[in-house]
């Protein structure tokens, strides 16, 4: 397993719970598929979502978040991206406000 996998998953899972809809139980769906050069891990939640039109350029920036919630520090997604890139991988995000967020983590098959 990649060296930072536990930290990456912990950050994404804690965000999914932290940014859940208050009127619904949080659901996190994990799937993976192996392709020629990468194993892609997809982590989806049914939370509040991220307004990517507004926050896309800052969600992976330190001390910035994908929300107007001032109680968050804005380090989790920055660390996730940094750790994945250290392993020569990449991260992509899809999100719809009010419906949830999906992160696609690309881990190279040859580390």
């Amino acid at each position: 397993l990649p060296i930072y996998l536990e930290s990456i998953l912990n950050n994404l899972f804690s965000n999914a719970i932290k940014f859940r809809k208050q009127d619904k139980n949080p659901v996190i769906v994990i799937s993976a598929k192996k392709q020629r050069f990468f194993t892609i891990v997809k982590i989806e939640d049914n939370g509040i979502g991220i307004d990517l039109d507004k926050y896309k350029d800052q969600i992976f920036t330190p001390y910035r978040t994908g929300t107007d919630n001032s109680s968050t520090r804005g380090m989790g997604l920055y660390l996730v991206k940094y750790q994945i890139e250290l392993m020569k991988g990449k991260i992509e995000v899809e999100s719809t406000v009010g419906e949830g967020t999906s992160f696609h983590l690309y881990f190279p098959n040859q580390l």
Side-chain angles (χ1 to χ4, degrees), residues 19 48-51 55 58-59 64-70 72:
F19 298 108
I48 63 172
I50 301 168
D51 183 347
Y55 295 109
Q58 67 186 43
I59 60 173
R64 300 295 186 116
T65 65
T67 177
D68 291 326
N69 183 342
S70 62
T72 61

Side-chain angles (χ1 to χ4, degrees), residues 3-53:
I3 190 169
Y4 297 113
L5 187 58
E6 182 177 348
S7 173
I8 290 166
L9 295 177
N10 183 49
N11 274 306
L12 293 175
F13 294 161
S14 65
N15 277 357
I17 294 166
K18 187 185 310 180
F19 298 108
R20 69 187 181 277
K21 290 183 198 169
Q22 294 302 314
D23 61 336
K24 285 191 169 185
N25 288 328
V27 175
I28 301 170
V29 178
I30 306 161
S31 60
K33 65 180 174 180
K34 189 171 186 175
Q35 294 185 336
R36 184 172 181 193
F37 298 109
F38 290 94
T39 297
I40 304 167
V41 177
K42 184 176 178 182
I43 300 175
E44 302 173 88
D45 68 52
N46 66 337
I48 63 172
I50 301 168
D51 183 347
L52 292 177
D53 290 333

Side-chain angles (χ1 to χ4, degrees), residues 2 4 8 12-13 22 26 35 49 57 63 73 84 92 102 104:
Y4 297 113
I8 290 166
L12 293 175
F13 294 161
Q22 294 302 314
Q35 294 185 336
D57 294 333
Y63 308 110
R73 292 189 322 235
I84 288 174
E92 295 176 346
S102 174
H104 302 242

Side-chain angles (χ1 to χ4, degrees), residues 82-97:
Y82 178 75
Q83 291 169 335
I84 288 174
E85 288 177 350
L86 282 177
M87 295 184 292
K88 309 290 189 230
K90 67 178 182 173
I91 183 169
E92 295 176 346
V93 60
E94 296 175 356
S95 191
T96 302
V97 174

